[in-house]
Amino acid sequence: MSESIRCRCVAIGALAFTMAAYATALPPFAVDDVFELEWIDEMDVAASGDRIVYVRAGYDRMTDRTRSSLWSIAPNGSRAVPLVADGSRIARARIAPQGDRVAFVASNGDGRRLRMLWLATGAITDVAQLTEAPQSLSFSPDGEQIAFLMRVAEKPEPFVKPPEAPKGAQWAPPPTVIERLLYRADGSGYAKPGEAQVFVVPAAGGTPRQLTEGGYPHRGEAAWTTDGTAVIVAGNRRDDWEYEPTDTNLYRIDVTSREVTALTERYGPDFAPTVSPDGRWLAYLGYDDDHRSHIHARVSLLDLESGARRTLSPELPGSVAGIAWARDGKRVYVQYDAEGDTRIASVNLAGRLTDHIEGAGGLDLSRPYSGARFDVGGDVLAFTKSSAVRPADLAVWRGRGAPRQLTAVNDDLLGQRAVGDSEAFWFESPADGRRIQGWIVPPPDFDASKKYPLLLEIHGGPHTNYGAHFAAEIQLYAAAGYVVVYVNPRGSTSYGETFANLIDKNYPSEDFDDLMGAVDAVIARGYIDERNLFVTGGSGGGVLTAWIVGKTDRFRAAVSAKPVINWLSFALTSDIGASITDRWFHGAPWLNAEEYARRSPLSLVGNVSTPTMVIVGEQDFRTPVSESEQYYQALKIRKVDTMLVRLPEASHDMSARPSALIAKVAHVLAWFERY
């Protein structure tokens, strides 16, 4: 971000503080309002650029789940109409190249269906009834076929064959036999035998035809060649792929013969292939893997005629998270993060980058994480637009001028609530003078002449970033009267690889000093009650919360959500444990036990006097329940005030169900209120 942009952001934030605290006559944002939030979840732009279809998502109060509907709108904001609003959950909507149909995945509780909507008549037909949810959809250039990825179940021979139970007998369920390294995944549970394979199906409906096999996993969306004879997809076809799960390459698969040809072969992930409009170039994302804990993904370019490859995108503050070709084939649009902001830029074939859009994002309603969606068709670039006071809306940019916002799906709710804007601030870390960025969200009716409690909220990852994005948790904390502070300490993304890797094989470390520096910088403003400081964070933020209370007693109370407490046990129980041993540490726990122990918050539990609650989802396989239980038990043994809160059915993503998000915030606030 240029110095002029940075100064403008700070000025805007300061202005928000001086404006009578954002409409004091309005009621504050409340927990019950969470159920009324909506957001734009995904979009697809017609090849002609004259239509955008998008998924409008929200929460269903009765089912406590996400609901969604499919809409269409013109790029000028006219003709906004619902296409599918029958209560089914909609995903992966794609407009046919001819612009006359929309393929999408629908679920009504009766299985996963691949469906087709005919735009001229509104008629909906089934393309295929599938055994699993398709992971992606892509039309062939002539619109006659659809490629998709779907898990193919395997039926391994049973390890033992016990006798059959007599009819009517009530025997115990059979044992579960596990032989895989990657045997469970957070959010989806214990792995079912089988991997994602590539299929094609006639767009008019018919029987899907499987193109790949062999037990190797494939990922992402299949990109069609312009002649429609083949698809290009990312896959890991190593025999030891479980031990090198990120080492994906790109493969060309002939649709007729099913012949598979490798297009890339470097060590590291290659993914997100997209073919240029003239069919000559393949743009894709990836990097050379050197086993650091964080490596930026960049855009590479493959000449499909000569086989020559080169890196296209310059070094950026963050990884490239999405790509799409411009209509003229002379540029590739890219999405990346810079200083907590999600941007969309273009890179020409000579590698020169031009920024176009700031403020994209708004997809995480719980906490202010970065991330966005965008798509390109004709001269239209559609994207999710974000701010600190609104979740994702749909906006468009047409190659010049300012972007135009097309939707305002939360104005009916948030326009009637006192929600807090954020102020960005910078400070020097006490560790080494390095500049660190943070944000402040004040309570409604904020008055700088008064004193307020401070709540430090820490992001997870640790290689992620916060920014000026709407977050229900932050708004609820501010509405309860706290000045909320959140920070991107060292290790956060969007500030360059060097900054992110300051904690490579060194986490937690001076990120503690960065967080304490943020607290001190806000206290220096004069409106914080220094006797009432509180701290919370989830996942990596839960790690740092537990680390903080082991290092200092300056906080009145703490809540560590879904933390890692003991790196030794985490490395051998987490669904990502296998990657931790060589990316976050120098070797396995049994080879380097002292280092695992030294960096574990458990090693500091003897110093803790701060009342500390621990919250975890009962189905969390990322930071397993046993991590939280270890910390709770250790604090109990030491007679430190503590409480263990388990959220039933919740995975690592505690906010997947709105009631769980509300329960988490309510327990955090009640714990802080006690102290």
Side-chain angles (χ1 to χ4, degrees):
M1 183 181 286
S2 68
E3 195 63 36
S4 62
I5 294 174
R6 181 181 301 126
C7 293
R8 186 165 67 249
C9 289
V10 173
I12 291 171
L15 177 63
F17 271 51
T18 61
M19 290 180 58
Y22 33 84
T24 57
L26 296 176
F29 184 72
V31 291
D32 195 56
D33 293 329
V34 170
F35 281 103
E36 303 302 324
L37 292 171
E38 296 185 83
W39 65 97
I40 304 306
D41 194 43
E42 57 179 90
M43 79 289 295
D44 193 59
V45 184
S48 61
D50 64 350
R51 182 194 296 267
I52 305 166
V53 296
Y54 62 95
V55 174
R56 178 172 174 170
Y59 294 126
D60 188 311
R61 188 182 293 268
M62 299 307 294
T63 64
D64 193 28
R65 300 284 187 183
T66 301
R67 55 175 170 77
S68 57
S69 54
L70 184 64
W71 287 66
S72 172
I73 195 170
N76 63 6
S78 66
R79 304 197 309 275
V81 294
L83 301 176
V84 182
D86 60 2
S88 58
R89 295 184 65 178
I90 308 298
R92 287 171 277 285
R94 298 290 182 268
I95 304 175
Q98 295 71 28
D100 58 341
R101 293 155 291 153
V102 180
F104 63 97
V105 179
S107 175
N108 279 318
D110 57 351
R112 298 286 180 170
R113 290 186 291 173
L114 175 53
R115 313 204 76 191
M116 189 74 72
L117 168 71
W118 299 81
L119 291 167
T121 64
I124 298 177
T125 58
D126 281 337
V127 176
Q129 185 82 29
L130 304 175
T131 56
E132 299 271 345
Q135 300 172 11
S136 62
L137 300 179
S138 54
F139 274 98
S140 61
D142 61 7
E144 296 299 313
Q145 298 185 85
I146 298 173
F148 63 93
L149 271 65
M150 183 179 71
R151 187 184 75 90
V152 174
E154 298 175 0
K155 293 184 179 180
E157 286 293 319
F159 184 62
V160 297
K161 294 183 178 180
E164 292 187 10
K167 185 176 182 180
Q170 297 181 357
W171 287 16
T176 299
V177 177
I178 296 171
E179 292 189 281
R180 295 180 50 163
L181 173 64
L182 307 175
Y183 64 92
R184 63 180 183 175
D186 187 71
S188 59
Y190 282 83
K192 300 175 183 178
E195 303 301 330
Q197 304 297 339
V198 183
F199 291 79
V200 293
V201 64
T207 302
R209 186 164 61 92
Q210 185 174 337
L211 300 185
T212 60
E213 56 188 16
Y216 302 115
H218 300 83
R219 297 168 187 162
E221 187 165 305
W224 287 85
T225 57
T226 52
D227 61 7
T229 63
V231 294
I232 299 171
V233 68
N236 189 328
R237 301 179 70 85
R238 298 173 56 132
D239 290 337
D240 63 345
W241 67 265
E242 278 196 288
Y243 292 85
E244 297 285 356
T246 62
D247 187 22
T248 57
N249 284 295
L250 300 181
Y251 296 90
R252 181 188 186 277
I253 305 165
D254 188 281
V255 173
T256 301
S257 68
R258 304 198 307 163
E259 180 182 2
V260 178
T261 304
L263 299 179
T264 63
E265 56 186 12
R266 67 174 164 186
Y267 178 67
D270 288 326
F271 58 100
T274 178
V275 179
S276 63
D278 64 4
R280 177 179 176 181
W281 303 101
L282 179 72
Y284 59 97
L285 302 181
Y287 56 82
D288 293 297
D289 192 348
D290 60 8
H291 290 266
R292 284 176 295 163
S293 60
H294 178 75
I295 308 170
H296 281 174
R298 299 174 66 181
V299 182
S300 291
L301 203 61
L302 169 65
D303 187 330
L304 291 172
E305 295 178 1
S306 69
R309 303 174 183 83
R310 59 187 169 94
T311 300
L312 181 64
S313 63
E315 184 63 36
L316 296 171
S319 283
V320 177
I323 55 174
W325 282 96
R327 178 172 58 176
D328 60 10
K330 297 180 180 179
R331 295 165 294 150
V332 176
Y333 288 103
V334 300
Q335 174 187 316
Y336 72 98
D337 291 346
E339 296 182 350
D341 179 48
T342 299
R343 301 179 180 179
I344 301 174
S346 63
V347 183
N348 67 15
L349 298 188
R352 184 171 63 86
L353 181 134
T354 304
D355 280 311
H356 301 300
I357 293 166
E358 296 180 351
L363 297 175
D364 191 320
L365 270 67
S366 176
R367 299 162 75 190
Y369 283 113
S370 64
R373 301 193 202 280
F374 80 95
D375 191 52
V376 177
D379 67 347
V380 174
L381 187 155
F383 65 99
T384 53
K385 183 178 183 297
S386 167
S387 74
V389 296
R390 293 292 188 275
D393 271 304
L394 179 65
V396 298
W397 181 70
R398 307 197 72 161
R400 58 188 178 278
R404 176 178 180 178
Q405 185 173 322
L406 302 186
T407 66
V409 296
N410 285 287
D411 277 7
D412 57 337
L413 169 67
L414 298 178
Q416 305 303 315
R417 297 291 185 271
V419 290
D421 209 342
S422 63
E423 176 191 352
F425 70 103
W426 293 79
F427 61 95
E428 292 186 355
S429 171
D432 53 11
R434 197 176 300 269
R435 295 183 74 244
I436 307 294
Q437 187 179 22
W439 288 262
I440 305 169
V441 178
D445 299 321
F446 176 78
D447 181 346
S449 67
K450 297 181 179 179
K451 297 287 187 178
Y452 295 87
L454 179 148
L455 192 159
L456 174 65
E457 208 283 339
I458 309 171
H459 74 63
H463 296 305
T464 53
N465 69 83
Y466 275 168
H469 308 293
F470 180 87
E473 293 188 27
I474 301 299
Q475 294 293 341
L476 291 170
Y477 296 146
Y482 295 87
V483 169
V484 184
V485 178
Y486 56 90
V487 188
N488 284 338
R490 68 191 63 210
S492 301
T493 53
S494 77
Y495 303 90
E497 273 195 359
T498 298
F499 186 84
N501 281 302
L502 290 172
I503 63 168
D504 180 41
K505 316 297 188 297
N506 186 35
Y507 165 73
S509 57
E510 288 82 9
D511 35 9
F512 164 81
D513 301 283
D514 299 343
L515 294 166
M516 295 305 97
V519 172
D520 292 336
V522 178
I523 288 174
R525 295 177 173 227
Y527 50 73
I528 297 300
D529 178 0
E530 295 186 53
R531 300 166 302 172
N532 278 296
L533 307 179
F534 301 87
V535 59
T536 186
S539 193
V543 174
L544 286 168
T545 298
W547 192 258
I548 285 169
V549 297
K551 290 280 190 178
T552 179
D553 61 359
R554 70 186 301 190
F555 292 91
R556 291 292 295 271
V559 177
S560 178
K562 51 190 179 184
V564 176
I565 295 301
N566 182 345
W567 289 111
L568 289 94
S569 56
F570 171 78
L572 301 176
T573 57
S574 171
D575 67 337
I576 61 168
S579 66
I580 295 299
T581 58
D582 67 341
R583 297 184 184 278
W584 293 22
F585 289 87
H586 295 289
W590 51 90
L591 300 175
N592 197 6
E594 294 81 6
E595 179 67 7
Y596 280 76
R598 183 187 67 81
R599 286 164 51 190
S600 295
L602 188 63
S603 69
L604 302 177
V605 76
N607 303 332
V608 178
S609 60
T610 305
T612 303
M613 172 187 282
V614 190
I615 301 180
V616 67
E618 291 187 346
Q619 300 299 318
D620 191 333
F621 293 151
R622 183 60 44 83
T623 54
V625 178
S626 57
E627 293 297 309
S628 293
E629 290 176 333
Q630 287 181 70
Y631 200 48
Y632 169 75
Q633 191 82 334
L635 293 174
K636 269 295 184 185
I637 290 170
R638 291 205 58 250
K639 299 182 180 179
V640 176
D641 284 359
T642 185
M643 180 183 291
L644 176 64
V645 179
R646 295 165 58 117
L647 299 179
E649 301 180 9
S651 66
H652 196 66
D653 180 8
M654 291 180 176
S655 63
R657 302 183 74 169
S659 68
L661 185 160
I662 291 169
K664 174 195 171 185
V665 171
H667 280 82
V668 170
L669 290 174
W671 185 253
F672 289 167
E673 181 64 24
R674 174 183 285 187
Y675 297 98

